[in-house]
Every structure is written in C-alpha cells, then in structure tokens.
Amino acid sequence: MPKYLHPDVYIEELPSVARGFGKDPVAVFTEPDLGGDYQFFTEPGRYDIDALTIPDDSIRSLLVPVGYKVTLFEHAGFSGERVVVHAATEVLAGGIEGKVSSLIITETTV
C-alpha cells in the first residue's frame, strides 16, 4: 500500500506532481518518512522563515532530487546549527529535526 504524502498525493505520484513545475522539486515535510504537511520549492534560492508555508520548526524529513543540495539552518536568517542534505530522501535526526527555520537550495553538478 503506498504511503501518503498528503491525502491526495502518493509517494509514487510525486514525479507526476512535479511535472507541473517543469522539474523535480525539493519537498520538505512536517513528519518523518515524508509524511504530514509539505511544501515544494521549485527553484534554487534562499528561503528564510517568512518564505515557509509550513509552521516554523516543523520540518522533520525532506526529498532532495539529484542535482540539488539543501542546507538547513536552525534559526531564521540562515544562522545556528546547519545540516547539508545531498540528493536523497532524508529523515532528519539529532539536533536539527523539528528546528529548521531557514534553508538554502543550490544546484550541484552531477
């Protein structure tokens, strides 16, 4: 049985959902294992607390497509503890899970 990302979107459908954006998006989730509420980011950039549509300090997992890396920051203004995630599905653990307030998405060479 597929695991839900959202009541209307299955993990297996994520690539088709992303096709509307023209590329695979970075997705952040409020629950471990790509669950709960989510937000897509379709472009590289700097996303501070005011650009997040999910609650502050609620990111617990994320999906990073090949060709991108995401730097997660504990505090707004891209400060505090940081964790870099490369092209993978990740469940955050340790000090930053549920503490992310800003993030930077950058393209990488594959």
Side-chain angles (χ1 to χ4, degrees):
M1 180 68 121
K3 180 178 175 65
Y4 287 103
L5 296 177
H6 184 271
D8 300 321
V9 182
Y10 294 104
I11 287 176
E12 288 79 2
E13 294 174 348
L14 186 60
S16 65
V17 169
R19 270 189 233 122
F21 298 117
K23 64 174 89 171
D24 289 336
V26 168
V28 296
F29 301 86
T30 59
E31 298 297 328
D33 301 319
L34 308 179
D37 291 329
Y38 61 90
Q39 181 176 354
F40 289 137
F41 297 90
T42 60
E43 298 294 329
R46 298 169 64 87
Y47 298 94
D48 209 346
I49 191 169
D50 59 342
L52 299 179
T53 60
I54 58 176
D56 183 32
D57 293 338
S58 67
I59 296 173
R60 289 184 168 72
S61 60
L62 69 158
L63 183 66
V64 181
V66 173
Y68 293 89
K69 74 175 181 178
V70 177
T71 305
L72 304 164
F73 295 87
E74 179 183 14
H75 301 302
F78 313 101
S79 63
E81 183 180 349
R82 71 179 67 184
V83 171
V84 177
V85 179
H86 297 271
T89 301
E90 293 285 332
V91 175
L92 299 177
I96 203 158
E97 178 185 7
K99 294 183 181 179
V100 175
S101 294
S102 56
L103 57 99
I104 299 173
I105 300 170
T106 52
E107 289 186 80
T108 60
T109 55
V110 181

